[in-house]
Amino acid sequence: MHPRPEPRWLLLLHQIPKKPDYLRVKIWRRLQRLGAISIKNAVYALPRSEEQNEDLQWVMREIVAGGGEATLVEANLVQGLRDDEVEALFNRARDADYEELVVQIRAAAKLYPKRGRLEDAARRKLEADSERLRRRLEEIAAIDFFHASSRETASSLLEELRQKLASAAVVAVEKKPAKYRGRTWVTRKGIHVDRMASAWLIRRFIDPAAKLKWVAPKGYVPADGELRFDMYEAEFTHVGNLCSFEVLMQRTGPRDKETERALKAIAEIVHDIDIKDERYQRPETAGVASLVAGIALSSADDDERLARASAALDQLYEVFSRQRR
């Protein structure tokens, strides 16, 4: 006798009472989020796996707790359908999800200016939209069990939008650096690479008399005259694909060629450690990342962290400022 093949499908058979109305809607939405497809009224299917089994067990409990009835069975055949026909039903459902997402991505892309320059408010809105669309793509992909054909279209269009945003992150250079002298500069506690480097840049090249304040990451209301960096709604923070150090450099420059060249090298290292996109791949990056991690692990005091990081950055600056182009 040939061994019986492992069941491929999980089938949820259920009956939900007419009242309360919300229970039927709640269960339907839960099944949609799981990626289940309706085979016929009150019968939903998912590919068989431990994770899907556990998810449907929870749905069963909700149905029973609400006064309904539910049964979960494993099966090889689904109402006389072949496996490829069942897979096609799943792909059809996911294609509909991807196509809806494509419409939203194209609508967001229409807000993008033809010349590639963005006002700050428009840029922030597009970045928020891009992140929301990315999360939605991940949600659909998580229940795309059989690789629906529309996935590539949605992924490509979203990546195109994100690339446009990154290339359009043009930061205006501030022409009045004196306005940044003698200020109080505020950032989040627990400084790491971007905040360490930014604070060093502020004290050495922007505002030698700067007072630095470390605050909680949420809920801080700045006092009059304070400038925030690398935190929510800060005057100097990430813009597009630029880290806070890069934004500070651009908005408070320009400087002489030697200084600019050295700071640019440091900015590339800070960028790759902070953004983690391996954009510049400088040979010094891994060593600096380990140094920063060591500073953070061995000291919880932000003033001490900054002092130790500043000493290292001073040495890096000396090396880069003396190198030939």
Side-chain angles (χ1 to χ4, degrees), residues 12-185:
L12 176 67
L13 295 74
H14 68 281
Q15 289 185 333
I16 300 176
K18 293 182 179 180
K19 298 293 182 180
D21 294 334
Y22 73 84
L23 180 62
R24 188 177 299 275
V25 175
K26 179 182 178 182
I27 297 300
W28 179 82
R29 287 176 176 169
R30 177 66 61 85
L31 291 168
Q32 294 297 303
R33 286 196 296 271
L34 296 177
I37 59 167
S38 175
I39 301 300
K40 67 174 187 177
N41 290 340
V43 179
Y44 281 82
L46 277 174
R48 178 177 171 269
S49 74
E50 289 186 10
E51 181 181 356
Q52 265 71 265
N53 190 305
E54 183 177 350
D55 288 337
L56 289 177
Q57 291 284 353
W58 281 107
V59 176
M60 285 177 59
R61 292 177 190 179
E62 288 188 80
I63 293 171
V64 173
E69 298 177 0
T71 303
L72 183 61
V73 299
E74 297 179 345
N76 274 316
L77 299 176
V78 180
Q79 292 292 312
L81 296 172
R82 300 191 312 271
D83 284 346
D84 61 330
E85 292 174 327
V86 179
E87 291 179 10
L89 292 175
F90 279 100
N91 283 340
R92 194 178 306 154
R94 297 295 77 79
D95 277 331
D97 292 336
Y98 286 127
E99 287 161 11
E100 180 181 350
L101 182 62
V102 164
V103 170
Q104 296 175 26
I105 295 171
R106 286 175 171 156
K110 287 181 180 178
L111 301 176
Y112 191 88
K114 292 182 179 179
R115 295 187 179 182
R117 298 181 65 88
L118 290 169
E119 297 291 335
D120 190 60
R123 177 187 56 76
R124 289 183 183 276
K125 183 181 185 308
L126 279 171
E127 284 181 342
D129 287 344
S130 176
E131 179 61 19
R132 173 180 56 80
L133 295 167
R134 182 193 64 78
R135 290 196 300 269
R136 178 56 181 151
L137 178 62
E138 289 182 351
E139 290 172 359
I140 300 170
I143 57 174
D144 182 10
F145 306 113
F146 302 105
H147 308 292
S149 60
S150 297
R151 179 175 180 174
E152 289 302 319
T153 301
S155 297
S156 298
L157 287 173
L158 184 56
E159 181 59 26
E160 183 180 330
L161 177 62
R162 291 165 66 84
Q163 289 295 331
K164 284 182 178 180
L165 277 170
S167 65
V170 178
V171 181
V173 174
E174 175 58 58
K175 301 299 183 181
K176 299 178 180 179
K179 70 184 286 188
Y180 297 131
R181 305 280 169 78
R183 305 290 288 271
T184 296
W185 296 77

Side-chain angles (χ1 to χ4, degrees), residues 149-313:
S149 60
S150 297
R151 179 175 180 174
E152 289 302 319
T153 301
S155 297
S156 298
L157 287 173
L158 184 56
E159 181 59 26
E160 183 180 330
L161 177 62
R162 291 165 66 84
Q163 289 295 331
K164 284 182 178 180
L165 277 170
S167 65
V170 178
V171 181
V173 174
E174 175 58 58
K175 301 299 183 181
K176 299 178 180 179
K179 70 184 286 188
Y180 297 131
R181 305 280 169 78
R183 305 290 288 271
T184 296
W185 296 77
V186 181
T187 194
R188 296 172 288 137
K189 292 179 180 178
I191 61 173
H192 207 262
V193 61
D194 199 8
R195 280 165 285 157
M196 290 177 184
S198 294
W200 169 80
L201 179 69
I202 290 165
R203 276 198 167 159
R204 178 155 182 180
F205 295 99
I206 300 171
D207 184 1
K211 296 179 181 179
L212 293 168
K213 183 186 289 188
W214 323 113
V215 302
K218 294 183 179 180
Y220 181 75
V221 179
D224 289 343
E226 290 184 343
L227 294 171
R228 295 162 295 175
F229 63 98
D230 200 47
M231 59 187 298
Y232 181 64
E233 293 187 337
E235 285 76 16
F236 299 94
T237 191
H238 288 217
V239 173
N241 198 39
L242 302 180
C243 66
S244 299
F245 184 92
E246 293 170 294
V247 172
L248 276 162
M249 266 190 64
Q250 292 194 20
R251 285 187 175 168
T252 59
R255 301 169 183 87
D256 63 78
K257 291 183 179 180
E258 180 182 278
T259 300
E260 197 70 17
R261 182 172 66 249
L263 289 179
K264 185 176 184 298
I266 293 173
E268 290 173 353
I269 295 170
V270 173
H271 175 103
D272 276 5
I273 299 172
D274 190 52
I275 305 295
K276 299 179 179 64
D277 62 359
E278 299 183 346
R279 181 174 181 177
Y280 297 107
Q281 301 184 24
R282 295 189 64 95
E284 306 88 355
T285 299
V288 175
S290 297
L291 177 66
V292 168
I295 292 172
L297 287 170
S298 59
S299 177
D301 181 80
D302 285 315
D303 289 318
E304 182 180 344
R305 286 187 181 187
L306 177 58
R308 294 169 64 184
S310 295
L313 288 165

